[in-house]
Amino acid sequence: MRKCAMRKCTISKHTVNKESIQNHANYFMKALLLTVLLLALFLSACGNQKGNTKTKSLYEQGLEVVSLMSEMTRSEEYIDLFIGNSELKSVIQNISAGDYTAPKAVYAISVTDENLAALSELFGVSNVSEKLEDYLTDRVFTTLMTQINSRSGVENLAAASACAAQKTFVNEDADKNVIYLYTYEDAVPVAVTFVVGEDSSVSANGTFIMYDEFTCGSADEIRSFFYFEVEVTEVFPE
């Protein structure tokens, strides 16, 4: 009788509480489902946020290039690092005196492929493959504003080259090469050339326009400066 009593006590001591386990299991499942739900909501929010991110316009991208160039001219460390000529430093100091915070007007300058091809022929380039012709056309377009600076003298050309800036970004709305000319009330104008590449990539190249004879007070003045046909329209911030 004593052994049976002891066994009963032992069995009673180790009896599994099924109700308690079920409660714990239910709690665990609810917590797991809640975690999965919160994770799904978080991922959905991230996806919506990414999808709603506004693509910067060419106007805005150009302003960022101009801002970087302006900082170059005002940075003694940058100038000392890349420029040792005191005369060039003086030219850059004159550039830095301008206010580049807000443009007076911005103009978009574009050239048709036919006119660019004609310009390539003027440089003595012909009888090349279509692939090389496209490459040369982009190169000719990219160097248009640099050619203007070449008329301003060696020092001005060197100063503009030292403070040129580039960046690359993605813009699915950009469908053609174009130059944005940023003009200012009391500062040197800045040209940012946008060249469209593969997979909606766009390269931007900015340069200060140092040629004093370059007139850019209106779209008509800009058109009349070039000896070939260009399309010029004023651009406004979006």
Side-chain angles (χ1 to χ4, degrees):
M1 293 294 294
R2 182 176 299 179
K3 289 183 179 181
C4 291
M6 291 179 62
R7 174 175 288 185
K8 288 182 179 180
C9 291
T10 303
I11 292 175
S12 176
K13 183 177 181 180
H14 295 281
T15 298
V16 177
N17 192 330
K18 294 183 179 180
E19 183 178 357
S20 176
I21 292 178
Q22 187 64 41
N23 290 337
H24 282 292
N26 291 338
Y27 176 81
F28 176 78
M29 290 301 296
K30 290 180 180 179
L32 180 61
L33 289 174
L34 180 61
T35 302
V36 172
L37 179 60
L38 290 176
L39 180 60
L41 291 174
F42 174 77
L43 293 176
S44 176
C46 290
N48 291 334
Q49 184 176 5
K50 182 178 180 180
N52 293 332
T53 301
K54 180 183 177 182
T55 300
K56 291 182 181 179
S57 64
L58 296 184
Y59 186 101
E60 294 171 313
Q61 297 283 6
L63 285 178
E64 291 185 1
V65 173
V66 174
S67 177
L68 178 61
M69 294 167 61
S70 176
E71 183 179 355
M72 290 178 180
T73 64
R74 292 181 281 103
S75 172
E76 294 183 3
E77 291 80 3
Y78 177 86
I79 295 175
D80 291 339
L81 181 62
F82 292 99
I83 301 171
N85 189 309
S86 59
E87 295 180 352
L88 289 183
K89 289 183 178 181
S90 177
V91 173
I92 293 176
Q93 286 176 351
N94 291 334
I95 297 175
S96 67
D99 183 5
Y100 298 93
T101 53
K104 178 179 67 175
V106 180
Y107 300 95
I109 306 173
S110 58
V111 186
T112 63
D113 292 339
E114 291 77 9
N115 285 334
L116 287 175
L119 288 173
S120 300
E121 293 179 1
L122 289 177
F123 294 140
V125 178
S126 59
N127 299 323
V128 297
S129 66
E130 182 178 352
K131 183 176 181 180
L132 181 55
E133 182 180 355
D134 291 340
Y135 173 78
L136 290 173
T137 299
D138 286 344
R139 286 296 300 272
V140 169
F141 184 77
T142 304
T143 59
L144 284 180
M145 308 313 288
T146 304
Q147 292 177 33
I148 295 176
N149 277 336
S150 66
R151 306 184 191 182
S152 63
V154 176
E155 290 182 356
N156 285 333
L157 178 60
S161 299
C163 296
Q166 301 81 31
K167 71 179 298 187
T168 302
F169 54 92
V170 174
N171 188 320
E172 296 180 354
D173 297 327
D175 56 357
K176 66 178 182 178
N177 300 339
V178 64
I179 299 169
Y180 273 29
L181 181 67
Y182 295 80
T183 63
Y184 298 88
E185 194 70 43
D186 187 25
V188 175
V190 180
V192 180
T193 302
F194 299 99
V195 176
V196 180
E198 296 180 353
D199 300 325
S200 301
S201 65
V202 181
S203 62
N205 298 271
T207 184
F208 292 104
I209 305 301
M210 305 298 295
Y211 186 46
D212 292 335
E213 300 299 320
F214 179 67
T215 55
C216 55
S218 66
D220 289 335
E221 286 186 359
I222 298 172
R223 288 192 200 95
S224 63
F225 176 84
F226 293 92
Y227 62 88
F228 52 90
E229 184 178 353
V230 297
E231 181 181 346
V232 183
T233 56
E234 189 169 356
V235 182
F236 300 94
E238 297 180 0

